[in-house]
Amino acid sequence: MSALLDQAVGLHGQGRLDEAARLYEQILTANPDLMDARHMLGVVRAQQGRHDEAHDLIAPVVAANPRDALALANLGNVLNALRRWEEALQTFDRALVLAPGYPDALCNRGNVLQNLGRLEEALASYDRALFFNPDFALALNNRGNVLQKLLRHDAALGSYDRALALDTGNAEVHANRADALQRLCRYDEAVAGYDHALDIAPETALIWNNRGAALQHLGRLEEARISFDRAAQQAPGMPEILVNQGLLHLLHQDFAKGWPLFEARKQMPDLGEGRDFAQPLWTGTEDINGKTLFVHMRRGLGDAIQFYRYAALAQARGARVILSVNDPLLALLQNAVPAVPVIGLEQVPDSFDYHIALMSMPLALGIDIPEMGRYLAAEPSRVAQWRERIGGDGYRIAIAWQGDAAAMGAEGKSFPVSALA
């Protein structure tokens, strides 16, 4: 039995997972209580993406020997894959009590903390892993990822560079580094980085997609289109790709193709636009005359200001429109003309007949760019406040200097207010 287990482990190490699994199962048929075979079969199932089976195999190993740090760490990985993140964190912590200098467990613990949104703690966990193993390329890559989430893109570049010095052929690290360059608006360098990644992994849809975004920022629109098309060939239906294709069509004022593709943003949970209500979605075909239409918005402030016009057009069709927007916009839009009732971001009307996302209104209305005159006016209280501070004489020029710091390319939309000096 020991020789058979050695043979299975050897196959496992060669990546011959199906053959290794058959041997592990053969061993367990003869000896169901052999925990090493059960543990390793669980690892195979995890590598095969069969995480529920992996959990059911490894959990009894931990129960039988709660001081097995390796089994605890592997169980933590499985719990992370199952999105049972609090349990995963507790499991890694148990492993690290037994083996405080276990770099793999520290790195994977950092991954769990990232998933929980505890980014500074994740960074500390990666740094701890690197203390014990300074040449841990995976920890350096993951550390770069968390630094990007913390908007520390220059520091992320340093982490990726260290990872690539250790593993120059890693396409994922090249792509992540290119993402950081794109967030720093270093688009030419980003394209070169994506090209390095694609030399290694030419069939990776997300890399083609992000490369297309960098090319679009450079104004190289035909190359961007080709890049998005290559991404779509690799991953048909991926929302991020469809949205980027839609935005490129909109940039060319090809609204008939752009708006339908842009609807894929509702499948992207980070944008939060795919909201569900008991009431039906308004698609534009249903008669809304005399009906209450709830229009909701969860994207940027500027988008809400721009697309407000479409809500007013729905109102002109006889609907009673109620518009939900980010709270900082309430006072501004309450003064808009024509007036549309507005409520806060988290508010929902007591009753309504249909609902629609604000940025879906052009598609539903069949109107590309509405012809409307001035519809916004400064809030009287703010006018009075600023008149008192700067007087009423001469030119009064307002400058919008800060965009969403978390958005890709934010550095191209924002600048330090000190630059105005």
Side-chain angles (χ1 to χ4, degrees):
M1 198 66 67
S2 177
L4 203 58
L5 182 59
D6 287 343
Q7 183 183 352
V9 171
L11 290 167
H12 192 168
Q14 296 170 34
R16 297 160 64 179
L17 301 183
D18 290 337
E19 296 170 73
R22 282 194 289 273
L23 282 184
Y24 290 137
E25 288 174 333
Q26 182 180 335
I27 294 166
L28 288 169
T29 298
N31 186 350
D33 296 327
L34 190 58
M35 290 295 137
D36 285 347
R38 178 176 291 276
H39 181 189
M40 295 312 295
L41 179 59
V43 173
V44 169
R45 293 303 183 224
Q47 290 173 294
Q48 293 172 326
R50 295 159 62 174
H51 299 295
D52 285 312
E53 293 177 54
H55 176 271
D56 292 344
L57 285 160
I58 301 175
V61 176
V62 170
N65 184 5
R67 297 189 61 79
D68 185 339
L70 178 60
L72 279 163
N74 285 330
L75 181 59
N77 292 333
V78 170
L79 289 165
N80 183 37
L82 291 169
R83 303 173 69 88
R84 293 163 59 176
W85 293 320
E86 292 290 354
E87 293 174 75
L89 183 59
Q90 294 169 11
T91 304
F92 282 123
D93 285 344
R94 288 171 59 192
L96 289 164
V97 168
L98 299 166
Y102 188 174
D104 285 359
L106 285 162
C107 180
N108 292 329
R109 178 179 180 270
N111 298 341
V112 173
L113 288 163
Q114 273 207 70
N115 289 330
L116 288 168
R118 294 161 59 177
L119 301 182
E120 292 289 356
E121 293 173 77
L123 181 61
S125 201
Y126 295 132
D127 286 342
R128 186 76 176 155
L130 290 163
F131 173 81
F132 290 107
N133 180 6
D135 294 334
F136 194 173
L138 179 61
L140 285 163
N141 177 64
N142 295 355
R143 179 178 182 271
N145 294 343
V146 80
L147 284 166
Q148 285 213 68
K149 291 179 181 178
L150 290 166
L151 309 182
R152 294 165 56 185
H153 305 304
D154 283 310
L157 279 179
S159 205
Y160 295 136
D161 286 340
R162 287 171 59 195
L164 287 172
L166 297 163
D167 185 9
T168 188
N170 191 311
E172 181 183 350
V173 184
H174 279 291
N176 289 339
R177 182 179 183 275
D179 288 343
L181 287 164
Q182 182 161 191
R183 289 186 175 275
L184 290 167
C185 303
R186 293 161 60 178
Y187 298 117
D188 283 310
E189 295 172 78
V191 172
Y194 292 129
D195 287 342
H196 283 306
L198 289 167
D199 286 341
I200 302 163
E203 298 183 356
T204 308
L206 201 55
I207 301 176
W208 282 109
N209 177 69
N210 294 353
R211 178 180 181 270
L215 288 164
Q216 183 169 318
H217 280 295
L218 289 168
R220 294 159 59 180
L221 301 185
E222 180 57 22
E223 293 174 79
R225 182 194 63 77
I226 293 169
S227 203
F228 291 142
D229 287 348
R230 286 291 301 269
Q233 290 170 11
Q234 304 297 336
M238 181 183 284
E240 293 85 348
I241 300 168
L242 295 173
V243 167
N244 280 335
Q245 287 180 310
L247 288 169
L248 191 60
H249 284 301
L250 294 176
L251 190 61
H252 282 101
Q253 297 191 42
D254 187 349
F255 301 109
K257 291 181 180 177
W259 289 127
L261 287 168
F262 191 55
E263 287 294 286
R265 74 194 186 282
K266 295 177 181 177
Q267 302 169 43
M268 298 168 65
D270 289 348
L271 299 183
E273 285 212 29
R275 300 179 68 181
D276 292 321
F277 299 98
Q279 293 85 347
L281 180 71
W282 185 55
T283 65
T285 59
E286 301 83 1
D287 183 10
I288 54 172
N289 185 32
K291 304 292 186 181
T292 299
L293 177 65
F294 175 40
V295 183
H296 42 86
M297 177 71 189
R298 285 190 177 271
R299 286 174 63 84
L301 304 184
D303 293 329
I305 291 170
Q306 178 177 338
F307 281 75
Y308 174 90
R309 298 172 292 175
Y310 295 93
L313 288 170
Q315 192 168 256
R317 293 195 179 185
R320 176 178 177 262
V321 176
I322 302 173
L323 173 61
S324 166
V325 296
N326 286 276
D327 293 1
L329 290 178
L330 285 172
L332 176 67
L333 295 180
Q334 282 166 355
N335 289 308
V337 178
V340 172
V342 290
I343 58 177
L345 183 66
E346 300 302 329
Q347 293 181 277
V348 176
D350 293 334
S351 64
F352 53 95
D353 299 297
Y354 296 100
H355 76 96
I356 186 172
L358 180 60
M359 297 186 78
S360 296
M361 295 288 279
L363 179 62
L365 289 164
I367 299 171
D368 298 325
I369 302 176
E371 294 185 8
M372 290 181 66
R374 167 179 162 182
Y375 59 97
L376 295 179
E379 302 157 47
S381 60
R382 290 181 183 248
V383 172
Q385 172 191 344
W386 284 100
R387 181 177 289 117
E388 183 178 335
R389 293 185 65 177
I390 64 176
D393 298 326
Y395 292 107
R396 293 170 299 284
I397 301 171
I399 298 173
W401 60 274
Q402 177 67 63
D404 180 357
M408 183 172 282
E411 291 78 5
K413 298 179 180 180
S414 310
F415 55 88
V417 73
S418 59
L420 291 172

